[in-house]
Amino acid sequence: MSTHSRRISKYELLELLGRGPVTETWKAADTQQNRNVAIKLFHPDLHADPDFVARFLTEAQLIASLHHANIVQMLDFQVSQPPEAENLTPYVVMNYIEGQTLASFIMNTSRMGRFPPGTEVIRLLLPISAAIDYAHQRGVIHHDIKPSNILLGKAAPASASTPMLTDFGLVQPLKAANCSLSSALYISPEQVQGYVDNNRSDLYSLGMILYELFTGTLPFDGDDPNDIMMQHLSAVPTAPSLINPNILPAVTAVIMRSIAKDPTARYPSANAMIGSLSRALNISQTEKLGQPYPIDAMNIPTYIMNAQIPGMTPSSSPASALPPGGSLPSSPSATPVPSAISGSGRDASPASMTPQLQVTPPDTIAGALPFVQPAMDHAKLTPLLPNAVAQTPAL
């Protein structure tokens, strides 16, 4: 991507933070507000999709409407065409959060064999679970939850940090074809199959983070994203207690249910997952899960404009619920819904109200599991727990 002028609109590009399959993320200076921001630029080759700009504007508006103390706020979104450029450049602007990510925290603790206590795990993931459920309740699925997309800031010690979820994306949710290595480590089986509109995909990714925090490793690993994705589809994960003998059996059960290959066997919400983990660890929750935190008035977007591109009209994104049986139609079509983009600049380190989609399953991989089933409550899911761990070695 060309950034000869190193400036887009009122933003001066300062430092390239990283590059993903479809975006570049920069630290930039907002010259009007006199503050640093993070700006994500979309690669021009995405414009081959004639509906891209309309969907970008529609979905950016939805994500910008999320106001939660544990979600990095989107401040601005535009479609720009610098004088020297031939192509349009869609971009989004977010608060710039300086400091470490959960990925660096894990690298310096669990990956070194220094496992954080259960209270610290709950402290880190309790607000993230609230942010995930808050977004789901408003029809937004993240699609790329991983440690590098959870920011901890610069607070010292780390126990004073405020975890924040970032990199909600736009237009193209995480798919196998454009999956980076760091995303492949946490991708759900149904995303590998091409089904991207299921809340419980986010919960699977959060379960992978749990596994890593308690064991210092991941159940599926390698150097080839395609190989890792095949493991998510068919390989049986090693029971966490066989890696870290200090893990309680009840904690192992929570983790294994969280990463069940069948979405209906997982927890129904991030709230339910972290609540079960708290009980397994015998830790009292001091905050109510799944509720939006107080909004900081300074984080409310200050510069949001829906750019109107000549000849482009934002298209509606109708979303109809799947039939009660959860079956999918057979014609190869799909209706886009608000979704998330993969590959922010933080990929550099390796490492109900939700709209449903009437989609056609793409060419499926042999032996893969079905993707969407009717929502099930906690009580109905409980009997499925033995199935989720049936193939693991006895604890």
Side-chain angles (χ1 to χ4, degrees):
M1 173 180 295
S2 174
T3 53
H4 297 301
S5 67
R6 297 185 64 86
R7 186 183 179 96
I8 293 184
S9 183
K10 64 173 183 173
Y11 305 106
E12 181 183 356
L13 305 182
L14 301 176
E15 177 186 354
L16 179 63
L17 300 176
R19 180 179 289 110
V22 294
T23 63
E24 288 180 357
T25 302
W26 290 75
K27 178 181 178 181
D30 182 336
T31 58
Q32 292 182 8
Q33 297 290 335
N34 194 28
R35 62 182 176 182
N36 288 333
V37 296
I39 182 167
K40 181 186 294 185
L41 309 175
F42 289 74
H43 291 308
D45 58 7
L46 292 177
H47 302 154
D49 177 357
D51 297 324
F52 178 85
V53 171
R55 286 185 289 130
F56 170 84
L57 293 172
T58 300
E59 296 172 20
Q61 181 67 65
L62 178 61
I63 295 173
S65 72
L66 298 177
H67 302 299
H68 193 285
N70 299 106
I71 293 176
V72 175
Q73 184 66 52
M74 183 187 293
L75 304 172
D76 184 12
F77 58 90
Q78 294 287 335
V79 179
S80 173
Q81 186 168 15
E84 74 282 0
E86 296 181 0
N87 297 319
L88 298 173
T89 302
Y91 64 89
V92 297
V93 181
M94 299 164 286
N95 281 335
Y96 176 72
I97 309 295
E98 190 171 1
Q100 71 170 333
T101 66
L102 183 61
S104 58
F105 173 84
I106 291 174
M107 188 63 65
N108 292 321
T109 56
S110 300
R111 289 274 177 173
M112 302 293 291
R114 298 192 293 266
F115 301 105
T119 52
E120 179 69 354
V121 173
I122 296 298
R123 189 198 68 79
L124 289 169
L125 297 187
L126 178 66
I128 296 302
S129 70
I132 291 170
D133 285 346
Y134 169 86
H136 287 178
Q137 290 160 10
R138 284 152 182 80
V140 179
I141 304 173
H142 190 286
H143 290 295
D144 194 19
I145 290 177
K146 55 188 177 183
S148 60
N149 283 338
I150 296 175
L151 310 183
L152 302 182
K154 292 183 67 175
S159 59
S161 62
T162 300
M164 300 186 74
L165 185 61
T166 190
D167 203 20
F168 283 83
L170 302 159
V171 184
Q172 291 193 355
L174 182 63
K175 295 180 180 179
N178 62 7
C179 188
S180 66
L181 178 61
S182 65
S183 294
L185 295 168
Y186 304 89
I187 194 172
S188 71
E190 58 271 21
Q191 285 175 288
V192 175
Q193 292 178 269
Y195 301 119
V196 295
D197 295 285
N198 186 358
N199 286 2
R200 298 192 190 191
S201 291
D202 283 350
L203 306 186
Y204 180 94
S205 301
L206 187 61
M208 284 289 160
I209 294 175
L210 277 183
Y211 192 108
E212 188 175 16
L213 280 165
F214 280 101
T215 67
T217 188
L218 285 161
F220 312 125
D221 207 345
D223 298 323
D224 182 356
N226 292 321
D227 178 63
I228 296 171
M229 288 188 284
M230 293 304 100
Q231 294 177 55
H232 282 288
L233 278 176
S234 57
V236 177
T238 301
S241 57
L242 295 181
I243 302 172
N244 177 3
N246 295 320
I247 298 177
L248 297 171
V251 173
T252 289
V254 170
I255 296 172
M256 296 303 287
R257 180 176 176 183
S258 300
I259 60 174
K261 297 190 187 300
D262 181 353
T264 65
R266 298 173 204 151
Y267 288 97
S269 67
N271 179 325
M273 180 193 304
I274 303 304
S276 291
L277 180 64
S278 297
R279 291 188 292 273
L281 292 166
N282 196 27
I283 295 173
S284 175
Q285 294 173 200
T286 58
E287 299 177 71
K288 188 175 181 180
L289 287 165
Q291 298 298 319
Y293 284 55
I295 297 174
D296 181 350
M298 295 301 293
N299 284 333
I300 295 176
T302 57
Y303 185 71
I304 293 181
M305 295 174 60
N306 273 351
Q308 295 298 319
I309 306 303
M312 301 295 293
T313 302
S315 59
S316 59
S317 299
S320 54
L322 290 171
S327 60
L328 299 167
S330 57
S331 60
S333 63
T335 302
V337 296
S339 55
I341 209 158
S342 63
S344 80
R346 299 187 184 273
D347 279 355
S349 59
S352 195
M353 290 171 60
T354 302
Q356 293 293 347
L357 185 64
Q358 262 192 340
V359 303
T360 284
D363 293 337
T364 55
I365 298 169
L369 293 164
F371 142 58
V372 177
Q373 294 292 336
M376 299 177 67
D377 61 30
H378 192 178
K380 292 179 180 177
L381 280 170
T382 300
L384 296 175
L385 178 56
N387 295 332
V389 296
Q391 292 181 298
T392 63
L395 298 176

